[in-house]
Amino acid sequence: MTQDVVTAKIHQPRSPLSRGLRHKRLPGLAAAAVAVAAAWLIPLAVPVMPFLTVAVILGILSANIPGISYAVEGVLRPGLEYSGKKFMRLGVVLLGLKLSLIDVAALGWGTLGIVVGIVLLTFFGTLALGKLLRLPGDQPILLATGFSICGASAIGAMSGVTKTDHRDTVVPIALVTLCGTLAIGVLPALKGPLGLDAIAFGHWVGASVHDVGQVVATAQTAGSAALAGALIIKLTRVLMLAPIVTVTALVERHRHHRKVAAGAVDHAEIKLPPLVPLFVAGFIAMIVLRTLGILPPPALAAAGTAQDLLLAAALYGLGASVKVRSLVQTSGRAIIATMLSWALIAALAYVGVHYI
């Protein structure tokens, strides 16, 4: 083979289709970057609003303000969908660096068992509610994952296993974000009437509120001790993401094999989820790294910032798919399931904190 031929192969241009797809994503990715910057600044003026919650709200506003919504549905859509899917998974991976198994073990087996029990009862209770109310598609399992574990990031992780279409995650994420935002105002108002001291209140918040940022915004109203207790309980819930997603992948594979054995589908028609999705394996690896103490504090801080930015971009992209009018008109049963699930986890957590 001559040198000219080798050089030609090395410098052979990439597919025009792949280059065109990347170029189509750029406007949407740029819009997400601008929205993330705005979402970063707004909490400086309104500290009660968590960064990630603001990102979702900005996305929803973008999808519903005349003029901007046209661009969101048009030129920005490819980049926003890419952000909502890929950045969400990368953010979930980095979320693992917030978890140390040493901190979780320090809770003791009793407390750990109570937290795991709250997660499992909320998960299966919400799943049953969703099916009882005949929610469409994967909404029951997505709502169950979001409410029981860690809100939108858990929904993003589960949707990767269930192969849920990007747009079908919009309603669960919007509703779980709504409840988490309401919790910032509702739970502190209930602290006195329920007779909770600062520590018990922090545990209640950590066991019942969805997103980590919302936990911080809610628990800090009762002081630093409440915040510390809330975070360790919350992060223990996050630890449940890996086993629940992995078990769901096993169930999906078993369901597929049963359909193939019954002749209902051809083996090639459905792509099986991996036993452990790659991003879940990455999440577990990050937990191990944090537990071993390999990474220095500056690296952990940088990873935490990167995780927040990635999740904010993903949530903006997902929020930009929410049409408020359609959500209100078509999601009545989902709203009912959401309110019942919120009440369920709040009640379970309230009972649980009395035994922690």
Side-chain angles (χ1 to χ4, degrees):
M1 185 178 292
T2 66
Q3 181 65 34
D4 290 341
V5 172
V6 172
T7 303
K9 285 184 175 291
I10 292 174
H11 296 285
Q12 185 177 5
R14 293 179 179 176
S15 164
L17 181 62
S18 63
R19 284 185 299 165
L21 182 60
R22 285 199 302 275
H23 291 159
K24 286 182 179 179
R25 291 172 182 157
L26 290 178
L29 293 175
V34 171
V36 168
W40 190 275
L41 294 174
I42 289 173
L44 299 179
V46 189
V48 74
M49 291 296 292
F51 171 48
L52 298 182
T53 300
V54 173
V56 177
I57 292 172
L58 290 178
I60 294 173
L61 290 175
S62 299
N64 293 275
I65 295 175
I68 300 177
S69 61
Y70 179 80
V72 166
E73 287 300 316
V75 66
L76 301 181
R77 178 52 49 197
L80 294 178
E81 289 188 350
Y82 182 86
S83 176
K85 183 177 181 180
K86 300 295 185 180
F87 290 173
M88 177 65 78
R89 293 184 183 183
L90 288 173
V92 169
V93 170
L94 292 178
L95 181 61
L97 286 175
K98 292 184 180 295
L99 289 163
S100 169
L101 296 179
I102 296 173
D103 293 337
V104 173
L107 289 174
W109 287 110
T111 299
L112 184 59
I114 290 169
V115 174
V116 171
I118 291 170
V119 169
L120 293 178
L121 287 172
T122 302
F123 179 84
F124 288 109
T126 303
L127 188 62
L129 283 170
K131 292 184 176 181
L132 183 65
L133 291 168
R134 293 179 293 176
L135 298 187
D138 294 323
Q139 279 190 17
I141 195 168
L142 296 181
L143 282 173
T145 308
F147 271 93
S148 62
I149 304 176
C150 56
S153 46
I155 291 173
M158 183 60 77
S159 67
V161 169
T162 56
K163 304 298 180 184
T164 307
D165 183 79
H166 165 85
R167 290 177 182 257
D168 292 336
T169 66
V170 166
V171 170
I173 284 178
L175 293 176
V176 79
T177 301
L178 171 64
C179 287
T181 304
L182 291 175
I184 297 171
V186 172
L187 267 60
L190 294 175
K191 175 177 175 288
L194 293 177
L196 297 173
D197 60 23
I199 300 298
F201 176 73
H203 289 160
W204 186 43
V205 171
S208 62
V209 180
H210 321 306
D211 176 75
V212 175
Q214 294 162 344
V215 167
V216 172
T218 308
Q220 68 185 2
T221 61
S224 58
L227 178 58
L231 283 175
I232 186 59
I233 296 295
K234 172 61 193 170
L235 293 176
T236 303
R237 285 170 60 200
V238 174
L239 189 64
M240 292 293 292
L241 180 64
I244 284 182
V245 168
T246 300
V247 169
T248 301
L250 290 170
V251 171
E252 290 293 319
R253 291 173 67 91
H254 179 67
R255 185 177 299 158
H256 169 74
H257 288 309
R258 288 183 61 183
K259 288 181 179 179
V260 171
V265 295
D266 182 74
H267 184 73
E269 288 182 16
I270 300 178
K271 184 179 179 182
L272 287 173
L275 288 175
V276 180
L278 183 60
F279 67 93
V280 174
F283 172 75
I284 296 170
M286 294 301 104
I287 294 174
V288 172
L289 280 178
R290 177 60 187 269
T291 303
L292 294 175
I294 294 174
L295 298 178
L300 292 174
T305 300
Q307 179 229 322
D308 286 342
L309 295 176
L310 287 167
L311 289 180
L315 291 174
Y316 174 76
L318 291 167
S321 298
V322 177
K323 291 291 186 180
V324 172
R325 180 178 298 178
S326 299
L327 182 65
V328 172
Q329 290 175 345
T330 63
S331 303
R333 285 176 296 172
I335 293 172
I336 293 172
T338 296
M339 293 297 109
L340 291 174
S341 180
W342 188 24
L344 174 65
I345 192 170
L348 289 171
Y350 178 71
V351 173
V353 297
H354 287 84
Y355 295 94
I356 291 177

